[in-house]
Amino acid sequence: MKASDTEKRRTVTTVPVGAKPVGVAVDVHDHVFVTNSGANTVSVINSATNTVSATLTVGFHPEGVATDPQFGVYVANGGDRTVSALDRFHALVATIVVGGPPGPPSRNTLRVAVDHLMSRAYVANRGRDRVSIIGISSDPPALSFDFAEVEGPLGVAVDPVSHRVFVTRPDHNKVSVIDSASSGVIGNISVGQHPTGLAIDPHKRRVYVANSGSETASMIDLLTGRVVDIDVGWSPTDVALDSHGGVYVTHPDGLVRVIDPDSATVTARIPVGSQPKGLAFEPHSNRVYVANCGDGTVSAIDLAG
């Protein structure tokens, strides 16, 4: 990735959504889903027009969101410890109680990731020190009796190759690895201070972790186990990858840093909105969508320039 390439990237559109947006996910139908933690809603953005096409009511203080191409959308509501399950047409089909003490609105406590081939949603629940499992192919989707015991989990992502689940543990400066067959922790990887968001590159076999308590993002090589810390600037929050393996990291200073995965260096700094949190890459529009918690907007970064 050349510097001249990254200079072309810029925020092309700012989309107003609800209060305090924090989580972002995309589906295969040009939809971008944004959790509005201050409004108890999810905004649905049409990526072809960059406009909000629907506003969906979910649980209290929605945080994480994930999609499945067959079974729908899953919203983790940290305020009431539930998951709102929506079908492909965005209708609410189930409210699944994962339990635990209610979380304060100021603290991220519940996030979700989906493994399509295993028909599972994994919910990282800090309040219960576990990663809960939801069977998404059942009608309606239902909480499984199986779960993984993980102390203080937060960020969660699934490797589509191995079907292992990677979970950040902010209070322990580690990433735990869960085996999908046994639902048990099979490894712990030391990273930077207070890791929060993470994303997996299944092609290059890497995991990228935003270490919010330091000025680094950790790059974990899944083939060798080697961990490289990349200087990215103060308090990185979340991370996403584009289709070419480019890495995007949000920061509370209103910038998204772009990491070149080959040189493991920051090659661009892109201004977005106030207090950016979650982000996701939408392949059809070739844009990265960023939730700006501080001003109730979503920024669309055009990767084509």
Side-chain angles (χ1 to χ4, degrees):
M1 186 184 299
K2 299 179 181 178
S4 59
D5 294 332
T6 63
E7 289 169 1
K8 296 177 182 178
R9 299 190 174 101
R10 62 187 184 275
T11 301
V12 294
T13 305
T14 299
V15 183
V17 287
K20 297 183 178 179
V22 292
V24 185
V26 303
D27 68 6
V28 296
H29 303 291
D30 301 328
H31 295 126
V32 181
F33 300 88
V34 183
T35 56
N36 302 310
S37 63
N40 305 330
T41 61
V42 171
S43 294
V44 184
I45 297 174
N46 184 330
S47 66
T49 62
N50 274 335
T51 58
V52 173
S53 59
T55 301
L56 313 174
T57 300
V58 289
F60 178 56
H61 192 62
E63 297 172 347
V65 57
T67 68
D68 180 89
Q70 182 177 358
F71 299 114
V73 184
Y74 302 87
V75 182
N77 306 302
D80 57 16
R81 290 297 197 276
T82 65
V83 173
S84 299
L86 314 172
D87 64 17
R88 289 179 299 164
F89 306 101
H90 311 159
L92 181 68
V93 294
T95 299
I96 304 163
V97 178
V98 295
S106 61
R107 186 182 187 219
N108 281 323
T109 54
L110 216 64
R111 296 192 185 180
V112 60
V114 164
D115 186 336
H116 169 65
L117 292 179
M118 298 292 288
S119 298
R120 292 176 176 175
Y122 293 91
V123 185
N125 189 338
R126 289 189 79 183
R128 296 197 71 181
D129 289 330
R130 67 173 51 174
V131 175
S132 301
I133 302 171
I134 295 172
I136 62 176
S137 60
S138 63
D139 187 15
L143 190 67
S144 169
F145 290 108
D146 293 330
F147 61 88
E149 294 184 352
V150 183
E151 190 173 357
L154 180 58
V156 57
V158 177
D159 176 14
V161 176
S162 68
H163 301 285
R164 290 176 174 173
V165 184
F166 293 78
V167 182
T168 58
R169 298 170 59 199
D171 302 324
H172 303 273
N173 303 331
K174 293 184 183 298
V175 171
S176 290
V177 186
I178 299 170
D179 176 63
S180 60
S182 65
S183 298
V185 174
I186 58 173
N188 291 288
I189 305 168
S190 296
V191 290
Q193 296 180 5
H194 205 80
T196 50
L198 77 168
I200 297 174
D201 185 337
H203 305 292
K204 295 184 178 180
R205 309 304 299 139
R206 293 171 179 172
V207 179
Y208 293 89
V209 184
N211 302 312
S212 66
S214 60
E215 297 184 356
T216 65
S218 294
M219 181 175 67
I220 304 170
D221 190 317
L222 295 180
L223 299 179
T224 66
R226 183 187 179 206
V227 179
V228 176
D229 288 334
I230 305 168
D231 293 331
V232 294
W234 175 68
S235 194
T237 305
D238 213 338
V239 57
L241 280 72
D242 65 23
S243 57
H244 300 289
V247 185
Y248 303 81
V249 183
T250 52
H251 295 257
D253 60 1
L255 294 176
V256 170
R257 268 79 168 179
V258 184
I259 298 174
D260 174 10
D262 296 324
S263 65
T265 58
V266 172
T267 56
R269 295 165 179 81
I270 304 173
V272 288
S274 173
Q275 300 177 37
K277 299 286 188 179
L279 70 170
F281 171 68
E282 202 290 309
H284 298 138
S285 62
N286 198 26
R287 299 187 185 113
V288 172
Y289 286 83
V290 184
N292 302 310
C293 183
D295 58 20
T297 66
V298 169
S299 297
I301 301 173
D302 181 5
L303 305 192

